[in-house]
Coordinates of all heavy atoms in Angstrom, one line a residue:
Chain U
P99 N -29.7 41.8 -53.0 CA -29.6 43.3 -52.8 C -29.9 43.7 -51.5 O -30.3 43.0 -50.5 CB -30.8 43.7 -53.7 CG -31.7 42.5 -53.7 CD -31.0 41.3 -53.4
S100 N -29.4 44.9 -51.0 CA -29.6 45.4 -49.8 C -31.1 45.9 -49.7 O -31.6 46.5 -50.6 CB -28.7 46.6 -49.4 OG -29.1 47.4 -48.3
M101 N -31.8 45.7 -48.6 CA -33.1 46.3 -48.5 C -33.3 47.7 -47.9 O -34.3 48.1 -47.7 CB -34.0 45.3 -47.6 CG -33.9 43.9 -48.3 SD -34.8 42.7 -47.2 CE -34.2 41.3 -48.1
S102 N -32.2 48.2 -47.3 CA -32.2 49.6 -46.8 C -31.5 50.7 -47.7 O -31.8 51.8 -47.9 CB -31.8 49.6 -45.4 OG -30.6 49.2 -45.3
S103 N -30.2 50.2 -48.2 CA -29.5 51.1 -49.1 C -30.0 50.6 -50.6 O -29.1 49.8 -51.1 CB -28.0 51.0 -48.8 OG -27.7 51.2 -47.5
Y104 N -31.0 51.1 -51.2 CA -31.7 50.6 -52.3 C -30.7 50.4 -53.5 O -30.9 49.5 -54.3 CB -32.8 51.4 -52.6 CG -33.9 51.4 -51.5 CD1 -34.2 52.7 -51.0 CD2 -34.5 50.2 -51.1 CE1 -35.1 52.6 -50.0 CE2 -35.4 50.3 -50.2 CZ -35.7 51.5 -49.6 OH -36.6 51.5 -48.5
D105 N -29.7 51.3 -53.7 CA -29.0 51.3 -54.9 C -27.8 50.2 -54.8 O -27.1 50.1 -55.8 CB -28.4 52.6 -55.2 CG -29.6 53.6 -55.4 OD1 -30.6 53.1 -55.9 OD2 -29.3 54.8 -55.3
F106 N -27.6 49.6 -53.8 CA -26.4 48.7 -53.4 C -26.8 47.2 -53.3 O -27.8 47.0 -52.7 CB -25.6 49.3 -52.3 CG -24.9 50.6 -52.5 CD1 -25.6 51.7 -52.1 CD2 -23.7 50.6 -53.1 CE1 -25.0 52.9 -52.3 CE2 -23.1 51.9 -53.2 CZ -23.8 53.1 -52.8
S107 N -26.0 46.4 -53.7 CA -26.1 45.0 -53.4 C -25.4 44.9 -52.0 O -24.5 45.6 -51.7 CB -25.5 44.1 -54.4 OG -24.2 44.0 -54.3
V108 N -25.6 43.7 -51.3 CA -25.0 43.4 -50.0 C -23.5 43.4 -50.3 O -22.7 43.9 -49.5 CB -25.7 42.1 -49.5 CG1 -24.8 41.7 -48.3 CG2 -27.1 42.4 -49.0
S109 N -23.2 42.6 -51.4 CA -21.7 42.5 -51.6 C -21.0 43.7 -51.8 O -20.0 44.0 -51.3 CB -21.5 41.6 -52.8 OG -22.3 40.5 -52.8
E110 N -21.7 44.8 -52.5 CA -21.1 46.1 -52.6 C -20.9 46.8 -51.3 O -19.8 47.4 -51.2 CB -21.9 46.8 -53.6 CG -21.8 46.5 -55.1 CD -22.9 47.1 -56.0 OE1 -23.9 47.5 -55.4 OE2 -22.7 47.0 -57.2
L111 N -21.9 46.8 -50.6 CA -21.8 47.4 -49.3 C -20.6 46.8 -48.4 O -19.8 47.6 -47.8 CB -23.1 47.3 -48.4 CG -24.1 48.3 -48.8 CD1 -25.4 48.0 -47.8 CD2 -23.7 49.7 -48.8
M112 N -20.6 45.5 -48.4 CA -19.4 44.8 -47.6 C -18.1 45.2 -48.3 O -17.1 45.3 -47.5 CB -19.7 43.3 -47.7 CG -20.9 43.0 -46.9 SD -20.9 41.4 -46.0 CE -20.3 40.3 -47.2
A113 N -18.1 45.2 -49.5 CA -16.8 45.6 -50.1 C -16.3 47.0 -49.8 O -15.1 47.2 -49.6 CB -16.8 45.5 -51.7
I114 N -17.2 47.9 -49.5 CA -16.9 49.2 -49.0 C -16.4 49.2 -47.7 O -15.4 49.8 -47.2 CB -18.1 50.2 -49.2 CG1 -18.6 50.3 -50.6 CG2 -17.8 51.6 -48.6 CD1 -19.9 51.1 -50.9
G115 N -17.2 48.5 -46.7 CA -16.9 48.7 -45.3 C -16.0 47.6 -44.7 O -15.2 47.9 -43.7
M116 N -16.0 46.4 -45.3 CA -15.2 45.2 -44.7 C -13.7 45.5 -44.6 O -13.2 45.2 -43.6 CB -15.6 44.1 -45.5 CG -15.5 42.8 -44.7 SD -16.5 42.9 -43.2 CE -18.0 42.1 -43.5
P117 N -13.1 45.9 -45.7 CA -11.6 46.0 -45.6 C -11.2 46.8 -44.3 O -10.3 46.4 -43.6 CB -11.2 46.8 -46.9 CG -12.3 46.4 -47.8 CD -13.5 46.3 -47.1
F118 N -11.9 47.9 -44.0 CA -11.5 48.7 -43.0 C -11.7 48.0 -41.6 O -11.0 48.0 -40.7 CB -12.4 50.2 -43.0 CG -12.0 51.0 -41.8 CD1 -10.9 51.9 -42.0 CD2 -12.5 50.8 -40.6 CE1 -10.5 52.7 -41.0 CE2 -12.2 51.8 -39.6 CZ -11.1 52.5 -39.8
S119 N -12.9 47.3 -41.6 CA -13.3 46.6 -40.3 C -12.3 45.5 -40.0 O -11.8 45.3 -38.8 CB -14.6 46.1 -40.4 OG -15.7 47.2 -40.5
L120 N -12.0 44.9 -41.1 CA -11.1 43.7 -40.8 C -9.7 44.2 -40.5 O -9.0 43.6 -39.6 CB -11.0 42.9 -42.1 CG -12.2 42.0 -42.4 CD1 -12.0 41.1 -43.8 CD2 -12.6 41.2 -41.4
Q121 N -9.2 45.2 -41.1 CA -8.0 45.7 -40.7 C -7.9 46.1 -39.3 O -7.0 45.9 -38.5 CB -7.7 46.9 -41.7 CG -6.3 47.3 -41.8 CD -6.1 48.6 -42.4 OE1 -7.0 49.1 -43.3 NE2 -4.9 49.3 -42.2
L122 N -9.0 46.9 -38.9 CA -9.1 47.3 -37.6 C -9.1 46.2 -36.5 O -8.3 46.0 -35.5 CB -10.3 48.2 -37.3 CG -10.6 48.8 -35.9 CD1 -9.5 49.8 -35.5 CD2 -12.0 49.4 -35.8
G123 N -10.0 45.2 -36.9 CA -10.1 44.1 -36.0 C -8.9 43.2 -35.9 O -8.5 42.9 -34.8
L124 N -8.3 42.9 -37.0 CA -7.2 42.1 -36.9 C -6.0 42.8 -36.4 O -5.1 42.1 -35.6 CB -7.0 41.5 -38.4 CG -7.9 40.6 -39.0 CD1 -7.5 40.1 -40.2 CD2 -8.1 39.4 -37.9
T125 N -5.8 44.0 -36.6 CA -4.7 44.8 -36.0 C -4.9 44.6 -34.5 O -3.9 44.4 -33.8 CB -4.7 46.3 -36.3 OG1 -4.8 46.3 -37.7 CG2 -3.6 47.0 -35.9
A126 N -6.1 44.9 -34.1 CA -6.4 44.9 -32.6 C -6.0 43.5 -32.0 O -5.5 43.3 -31.0 CB -7.7 45.4 -32.2
F127 N -6.5 42.5 -32.8 CA -6.3 41.1 -32.5 C -4.9 40.7 -32.3 O -4.4 40.1 -31.2 CB -6.9 40.2 -33.5 CG -6.8 38.6 -33.1 CD1 -7.5 38.2 -32.1 CD2 -6.0 37.8 -33.8 CE1 -7.5 36.8 -31.8 CE2 -5.9 36.6 -33.6 CZ -6.6 36.0 -32.7
V128 N -4.1 41.1 -33.1 CA -2.6 40.8 -33.1 C -1.9 41.5 -31.9 O -1.2 40.9 -31.2 CB -1.9 41.1 -34.5 CG1 -0.5 41.0 -34.3 CG2 -2.4 40.1 -35.6
I129 N -2.2 42.8 -31.9 CA -1.6 43.6 -30.9 C -2.0 43.0 -29.5 O -1.2 42.9 -28.6 CB -2.0 45.0 -31.0 CG1 -1.3 45.7 -32.3 CG2 -1.5 45.8 -29.8 CD1 -1.7 47.1 -32.5
A130 N -3.4 42.8 -29.4 CA -3.8 42.4 -28.1 C -3.4 41.1 -27.6 O -2.9 40.8 -26.5 CB -5.4 42.4 -28.1
T131 N -3.2 40.1 -28.6 CA -2.8 38.8 -28.2 C -1.3 38.8 -27.8 O -0.9 38.4 -26.9 CB -2.9 37.9 -29.4 OG1 -4.3 37.9 -29.9 CG2 -2.6 36.5 -29.1
A132 N -0.5 39.6 -28.5 CA 0.9 39.7 -28.2 C 1.1 40.3 -26.8 O 1.8 39.8 -26.0 CB 1.7 40.6 -29.2
I133 N 0.3 41.5 -26.6 CA 0.4 42.1 -25.4 C -0.1 41.1 -24.2 O 0.6 41.0 -23.1 CB -0.3 43.4 -25.2 CG1 0.3 44.4 -26.3 CG2 -0.5 43.9 -23.9 CD1 -0.4 45.8 -26.2
G134 N -1.2 40.4 -24.4 CA -1.6 39.6 -23.4 C -0.8 38.5 -23.0 O -0.5 38.2 -21.9
V135 N 0.0 37.9 -24.1 CA 0.8 36.8 -23.8 C 2.1 37.3 -23.0 O 2.5 36.7 -22.0 CB 1.2 36.1 -25.1 CG1 2.5 35.2 -24.9 CG2 0.2 35.3 -25.7
I136 N 2.5 38.4 -23.5 CA 3.8 38.9 -22.9 C 3.6 39.3 -21.3 O 4.3 38.8 -20.5 CB 4.5 40.1 -23.7 CG1 4.9 39.5 -25.0 CG2 5.6 40.7 -22.9 CD1 5.3 40.5 -26.0
T137 N 2.5 40.1 -21.2 CA 2.2 40.6 -19.9 C 1.8 39.5 -19.0 O 2.2 39.3 -17.8 CB 1.1 41.6 -19.8 OG1 0.0 41.0 -20.5 CG2 1.6 42.9 -20.5
G138 N 1.2 38.4 -19.5 CA 0.8 37.2 -18.7 C 2.0 36.6 -18.2 O 2.2 36.0 -17.0
M139 N 3.0 36.4 -19.1 CA 4.3 35.8 -18.8 C 5.0 36.5 -17.6 O 5.5 35.9 -16.7 CB 5.2 35.7 -19.9 CG 5.2 34.3 -20.6 SD 5.9 34.5 -22.3 CE 7.4 35.2 -21.9
I140 N 5.1 37.9 -17.8 CA 5.8 38.6 -16.9 C 5.1 38.5 -15.5 O 5.7 38.3 -14.5 CB 5.8 40.1 -17.3 CG1 6.6 40.3 -18.5 CG2 6.3 41.0 -16.2 CD1 6.6 41.7 -19.2
A141 N 3.7 38.6 -15.5 CA 3.1 38.5 -14.3 C 3.3 37.1 -13.6 O 3.4 37.1 -12.3 CB 1.5 38.6 -14.5
A142 N 3.4 36.0 -14.4 CA 3.8 34.8 -13.8 C 5.1 34.7 -13.2 O 5.2 34.2 -12.2 CB 3.5 33.7 -14.9
V143 N 6.1 35.2 -14.0 CA 7.5 35.0 -13.5 C 7.7 36.0 -12.1 O 8.4 35.6 -11.4 CB 8.4 35.5 -14.6 CG1 9.8 35.6 -14.1 CG2 8.4 34.5 -15.8
Y144 N 6.9 37.0 -12.2 CA 7.0 37.9 -11.0 C 5.9 37.8 -10.0 O 5.3 38.7 -9.6 CB 7.2 39.4 -11.4 CG 8.4 39.7 -12.1 CD1 8.6 39.7 -13.4 CD2 9.7 39.9 -11.4 CE1 9.8 40.0 -14.1 CE2 10.9 40.1 -12.0 CZ 11.0 40.1 -13.3 OH 12.2 40.3 -14.0
K145 N 5.3 36.6 -10.0 CA 4.1 36.3 -9.2 C 4.3 36.9 -7.8 O 5.3 36.7 -7.1 CB 4.0 34.9 -9.2 CG 2.8 34.4 -8.5 CD 2.7 32.8 -8.3 CE 1.9 32.4 -7.2 NZ 2.3 31.0 -6.9
N146 N 3.2 37.6 -7.5 CA 3.1 38.3 -6.2 C 4.1 39.3 -5.9 O 4.6 39.5 -4.7 CB 3.1 37.3 -5.0 CG 1.8 36.3 -5.1 OD1 0.8 36.8 -5.7 ND2 1.8 35.3 -4.5
K147 N 4.7 39.8 -7.0 CA 5.7 41.1 -6.8 C 5.0 42.2 -7.6 O 4.0 42.0 -8.1 CB 7.1 40.8 -7.4 CG 7.7 39.4 -6.8 CD 9.1 39.6 -6.7 CE 9.7 38.4 -5.9 NZ 10.0 37.3 -6.9
W148 N 5.6 43.3 -7.4 CA 4.8 44.6 -7.8 C 4.5 44.4 -9.4 O 3.3 45.0 -9.8 CB 5.4 45.9 -7.6 CG 6.9 46.1 -8.2 CD1 8.1 45.9 -7.8 CD2 7.0 46.8 -9.5 NE1 9.0 46.3 -8.7 CE2 8.4 46.7 -9.7 CE3 6.1 47.2 -10.5 CZ2 8.9 47.2 -11.0 CZ3 6.6 47.6 -11.6 CH2 8.0 47.7 -11.8
P149 N 5.2 44.0 -10.3 CA 4.8 44.0 -11.7 C 3.5 43.2 -11.9 O 2.6 43.5 -12.6 CB 6.0 43.2 -12.5 CG 7.2 43.3 -11.7 CD 6.7 43.3 -10.2
D150 N 3.4 42.1 -11.1 CA 2.1 41.3 -11.1 C 1.0 42.1 -10.6 O 0.0 42.1 -11.4 CB 2.5 40.1 -10.2 CG 1.2 39.0 -10.3 OD1 0.6 39.1 -11.3 OD2 1.1 38.3 -9.3
Y151 N 1.1 42.7 -9.4 CA 0.0 43.5 -8.9 C -0.4 44.6 -9.9 O -1.7 44.9 -10.2 CB 0.4 44.1 -7.6 CG 0.6 43.1 -6.5 CD1 1.7 43.0 -5.7 CD2 -0.4 42.0 -6.3 CE1 1.9 42.2 -4.7 CE2 -0.1 41.1 -5.4 CZ 0.9 41.1 -4.5 OH 1.1 40.2 -3.6
M152 N 0.5 45.3 -10.5 CA 0.2 46.3 -11.5 C -0.7 45.7 -12.6 O -1.7 46.3 -13.0 CB 1.5 46.9 -12.1 CG 2.3 47.8 -11.2 SD 2.0 49.5 -11.2 CE 2.4 49.8 -12.9
L153 N -0.2 44.7 -13.2 CA -0.8 44.0 -14.4 C -2.2 43.6 -13.9 O -3.1 43.7 -14.8 CB 0.0 42.9 -14.9 CG 1.2 43.4 -15.7 CD1 2.2 42.3 -15.9 CD2 0.7 43.9 -17.0
V154 N -2.4 43.0 -12.7 CA -3.6 42.5 -12.3 C -4.7 43.6 -12.3 O -5.8 43.5 -12.8 CB -3.6 41.9 -10.9 CG1 -5.0 41.6 -10.3 CG2 -2.9 40.5 -11.0
L155 N -4.2 44.8 -11.9 CA -5.1 46.0 -11.8 C -5.6 46.3 -13.3 O -6.7 46.5 -13.7 CB -4.4 47.0 -11.3 CG -5.2 48.3 -11.1 CD1 -6.3 48.2 -9.9 CD2 -4.4 49.7 -10.8
V156 N -4.6 46.5 -14.2 CA -5.0 46.8 -15.6 C -6.0 45.8 -16.2 O -6.8 46.2 -16.9 CB -3.7 47.0 -16.4 CG1 -3.9 47.3 -17.8 CG2 -2.9 48.1 -15.8
V157 N -5.6 44.5 -16.0 CA -6.3 43.5 -16.5 C -7.8 43.5 -16.0 O -8.7 43.3 -16.8 CB -5.7 42.1 -16.3 CG1 -6.6 40.9 -16.3 CG2 -4.5 41.9 -17.2
M158 N -8.0 43.8 -14.7 CA -9.3 43.8 -14.1 C -10.1 44.9 -14.8 O -11.3 44.7 -15.2 CB -9.2 44.1 -12.6 CG -8.7 43.0 -11.7 SD -9.8 41.7 -11.8 CE -10.9 42.0 -10.4
I159 N -9.5 46.1 -15.1 CA -10.3 47.1 -15.7 C -10.8 46.6 -17.1 O -12.0 46.7 -17.4 CB -9.4 48.3 -15.9 CG1 -9.0 48.9 -14.5 CG2 -10.2 49.4 -16.7 CD1 -8.1 50.1 -14.6
G160 N -9.8 46.0 -17.9 CA -10.3 45.4 -19.1 C -11.4 44.4 -19.1 O -12.2 44.5 -19.9

Side-chain angles (χ1 to χ4, degrees):
Chain U
S100 164
M101 299 175 195
S102 54
S103 308
Y104 299 115
D105 297 334
F106 294 91
S107 76
V108 169
S109 309
E110 279 166 348
L111 283 183
M112 292 212 311
I114 297 171
M116 210 49 103
F118 184 88
S119 292
L120 289 186
Q121 200 191 337
L122 178 68
L124 292 180
T125 309
F127 179 70
V128 171
I129 292 178
T131 305
I133 290 180
V135 165
I136 292 169
T137 55
M139 263 167 49
I140 294 174
V143 171
Y144 293 95
K145 184 182 150 200
N146 297 341
K147 306 217 172 79
W148 69 264
D150 184 26
Y151 293 131
M152 291 270 295
L153 286 167
V154 166
L155 183 72
V156 178
V157 162
M158 287 295 270
I159 295 176

